[in-house]
Amino acid sequence: MKTMRSLAVAAATILLASAPAVAAAAPPPAIPQVAPATPGELLECESLIGFSYDSTRITSATFVPAGTPAGAPDHCRVTGQTNERVGEDGRSYAIGWEMRLPSDWAGRYLYQGNGGIDGAVAPALGNFTGGQERSGLAQGFAIISSDAGHTGAQNGSFGYDGQARLDFGYNTAVTLTPLANALIAEAYGRGPDTSYFAGGSNGGRHTMVAATRLADEYDGFLPVAPGFNLPQAAVAQIAEAQLWNTVATVPGNLNTAITPAERAVVAQGILERCDGLDRLRDGLVQDGERCAKVFDLDRDVPTCEGERDGTCLTAAQKDVLAQVYAGVTTSTGEQIYASFPVDAGITNGDWATWNLFISVALDPLAVGTVFMPYPDPSIMASPLTADIDALEAGIYEAGLSGQSAMEFMTPLGDDTDYDTLRDTGAKMIVIHGASDAVFSADDTARWFEAVDKAYRNKAEDFIRYFPVPGMAHVSGGAATDKVDALGALVDWVEHGIAPDRLIAQARGDNAEAMAAGLAPGAERPLCVYPLVARYTGGDPNSADSFACKPSSGGPNL
């Protein structure tokens, strides 16, 4: 279906190019609505062990009965290795993958982008957030998942091979997309009617990259908490760690830089100033734009007059936190990544993990082995003394792979060109938590605003961004983080129902949401950016009691 529509667009473009010149540019060709997917049945599972594809070795084809894992239907699990080779570093590499093909197929295909720095073939179940109610597999999708071209044992070394860098950045999806379509055709006797690409965190980055490199192959894209500027974010994390170390009572132990009690003091100040901006005090900051204007760190958080005792922040701690919120910079004042929303989610354990642990444990690994032009072990050995200016410059320099990290890890071009996605009728829904401590929702908002400007305020015709107040990285936090975004994307792609808002619920197993006072199942609307939810009266646990309105903005109070 996608390929046929792409050909139609190409033909229309040729006709337009050959027409006589006119005073104004002609609008893009109209694209018919994608036909809904139709069900199909799996042929013989075990026969897929004989599936043949270029540079691919099938390692297993096994029938898996319903309930393995819990909630999964009967399906066939096929595993394989593609592009097996010996790298320039002398190590063996391949793109490892698995594909799960349900016996009762919905006619849909899903590429599952995985998180972290990959290195493992996550079960191809179609799960992207902790708040997802039903997996993609349970909904009848045929799903592929991969290790992005390296194993877990190679996570500390694959950056020494140029091709492995490219596979991690974008080439795995480029390689596996036609393979997945061929395997589906072999399994069901026909190809998919509709194709989707989704993932969270680094998987969200994979999705954003695919939306620029593979837009003519997919009908829908669902990036969650997308780290689409991951090299910038990783360098920024190291820079933040160095700042936090300046206020650590035990140098090198960032947990002593700002304690849980001190973070709670900050959150309390934010909530007192911002919680009621949506006309309901419920432990959530719905209007983040106005909160950034009315919250004052110096005024609203007590400053210690003596020793730190957990009830205040020192002036030095406030200075560090202010730099983190504003976006850390190089020595010349150039912003490395992005600002972060002022949000009460600073109390989340997730916030501490990213800022005070991963920033010195995993980010230096990625920066030192994958994102620098050539691997530099000293960054991993001493991240708290690394030269931030050199790291920031390094992610823009081509090296081992022939491309810089900001080329092979990010969306193609200037990240605002979505002509192919638009012209083929594809759609994208972006989900991002305001309390995400590693990939900033501010960066996603900046990106959407740039895209919207590039398309003359018409980007919502094919891309919609839904921030999630209080949600941590991918899921969790004091938030209503249970939402059927995949279902909303299918409705938009196949039925033309563009989502103006998504209904999200608080999960009873989300301890941080319960601690904030949200009732299990409490609803909030996730509003399409830049609108925010405002309480209009009635049951505070019902989404019907909220309306999506423009931010109230306003000067400092």
Side-chain angles (χ1 to χ4, degrees):
M1 173 64 72
K2 189 71 174 186
T3 302
M4 291 176 65
R5 288 190 291 117
S6 299
L7 292 173
V9 172
T13 302
I14 292 171
L15 289 174
L16 286 171
S18 62
V22 292
I31 302 301
Q33 181 63 45
V34 176
T38 56
E41 292 186 3
L42 183 69
L43 304 180
E44 186 178 351
C45 174
E46 287 74 13
S47 69
L48 295 177
I49 193 72
F51 173 68
S52 178
Y53 192 83
D54 289 347
S55 303
T56 295
R57 176 171 57 90
I58 302 301
T59 55
S60 70
T62 307
F63 177 78
V64 182
T68 308
D74 287 345
H75 65 278
C76 183
R77 177 176 178 263
V78 182
T79 64
Q81 300 278 309
T82 296
N83 292 349
E84 292 177 291
R85 62 186 177 83
V86 176
E88 58 196 279
D89 58 354
R91 297 180 173 91
S92 295
Y93 289 96
I95 298 173
W97 55 269
E98 76 166 37
M99 192 156 196
R100 301 205 181 206
L101 304 151
S103 297
D104 293 322
W105 181 43
R108 302 183 182 106
Y109 151 61
L110 175 67
Y111 188 111
Q112 174 182 307
N114 295 323
I117 55 174
D118 289 290
V121 181
L125 303 175
N127 290 325
F128 316 113
T129 74
Q132 190 169 331
E133 185 170 7
R134 294 179 68 220
S135 71
L137 186 63
Q139 297 176 55
F141 284 79
I143 304 172
I144 195 167
S145 169
S146 84
D147 60 11
H150 61 274
T151 67
Q154 294 171 328
N155 273 346
S157 62
F158 77 86
Y160 286 78
D161 180 75
Q163 184 59 49
R165 289 185 175 200
L166 299 181
D167 287 343
F168 174 54
Y170 66 85
N171 189 58
T172 290
V174 172
T175 300
L176 293 185
T177 293
L179 181 152
N181 281 302
L183 182 53
I184 287 173
E186 182 85 2
Y188 298 105
R190 65 180 177 89
D193 297 305
T194 50
S195 300
Y196 298 83
F197 200 122
S201 189
N202 179 49
R205 180 196 66 82
H206 282 301
T207 307
M208 296 283 277
V209 168
T212 58
R213 291 183 179 270
L214 295 167
D216 57 345
E217 296 289 341
Y218 291 89
D219 302 290
F221 297 87
L222 176 58
V224 179
F228 56 95
N229 283 317
L230 199 157
Q232 291 179 341
V235 172
Q237 286 272 104
I238 298 173
E240 291 169 12
Q242 292 186 3
L243 286 173
W244 285 118
N245 196 45
T246 65
V247 294
T249 57
V250 179
N253 182 353
L254 301 188
N255 288 315
T256 67
I258 183 166
T259 66
E262 291 167 335
R263 289 188 282 117
V265 169
V266 176
Q268 184 61 31
I270 293 172
L271 288 173
E272 287 181 358
R273 182 61 58 174
C274 301
D275 186 7
L277 294 177
D278 65 341
R279 302 177 183 172
L280 178 69
R281 288 198 170 272
D282 56 357
L284 300 179
V285 177
Q286 294 283 353
D287 193 342
E289 181 179 345
R290 188 179 182 199
C291 183
K293 296 177 180 178
V294 303
F295 173 75
D296 185 280
L297 183 59
D298 286 332
R299 179 196 62 205
D300 297 326
V301 175
T303 302
C304 298
E305 296 182 358
E307 297 295 320
R308 288 169 53 180
D309 62 2
T311 65
C312 56
L313 261 61
T314 66
Q317 285 178 300
K318 286 187 174 184
D319 180 60
V320 170
L321 184 57
Q323 291 184 65
V324 170
Y325 278 140
V328 291
T329 65
T330 64
S331 63
T332 59
E334 182 178 352
Q335 192 175 60
I336 298 170
Y337 173 46
S339 61
F340 281 82
V342 174
D343 190 88
I346 190 173
T347 58
N348 294 336
D350 190 67
W351 186 96
T353 297
W354 284 105
N355 281 275
L356 309 178
F357 172 69
I358 292 178
S359 59
V360 291
L362 297 183
D363 285 303
L365 177 67
V367 173
T369 64
V370 183
F371 300 155
M372 289 296 97
Y374 298 92
D376 184 352
S378 69
I379 298 168
M380 295 172 280
S382 305
L384 293 177
T385 58
D387 184 337
I388 297 300
D389 288 358
L391 300 188
E392 193 273 340
I395 62 176
Y396 296 95
E397 297 175 10
L400 194 61
S401 67
Q403 300 178 26
S404 73
M406 287 301 292
E407 289 176 304
F408 68 77
M409 289 294 293
T410 64
L412 196 62
D414 64 0
D415 84 4
T416 62
D417 182 358
Y418 290 89
D419 281 3
T420 302
L421 186 148
R422 177 199 61 185
D423 294 347
T424 58
K427 310 298 181 187
M428 180 191 293
I429 289 177
V430 185
I431 307 287
H432 206 150
S435 293
D436 193 326
V438 56
F439 300 140
S440 175
D442 281 358
D443 195 37
T444 301
R446 173 211 58 79
W447 162 80
F448 180 79
E449 289 171 358
V451 173
D452 199 37
K453 181 179 179 181
Y455 289 93
R456 300 182 180 181
N457 301 318
K458 294 292 186 181
E460 282 188 8
D461 289 349
F462 51 94
I463 300 176
R464 298 204 173 187
Y465 167 41
F466 294 88
V468 187
M471 191 173 84
H473 184 54
V474 180
S475 63
T480 52
D481 67 344
K482 180 181 178 181
V483 57
D484 183 16
L486 183 58
L489 182 60
V490 169
D491 282 344
W492 193 9
V493 167
E494 300 182 23
H495 305 291
I497 304 173
D500 291 324
R501 65 180 199 169
L502 304 176
I503 306 303
Q505 294 181 325
R507 292 181 290 117
D509 60 351
N510 181 349
E512 290 168 324
M514 299 303 100
L518 289 172
E523 296 178 343
R524 294 291 184 276
L526 304 183
C527 299
V528 64
Y529 182 85
L531 303 181
V532 298
R534 187 172 302 158
Y535 181 64
T536 56
D539 180 3
N541 292 323
S542 171
D544 292 337
S545 300
F546 297 80
C548 291
K549 300 285 188 180
S551 169
S552 54
N556 288 347
L557 299 179

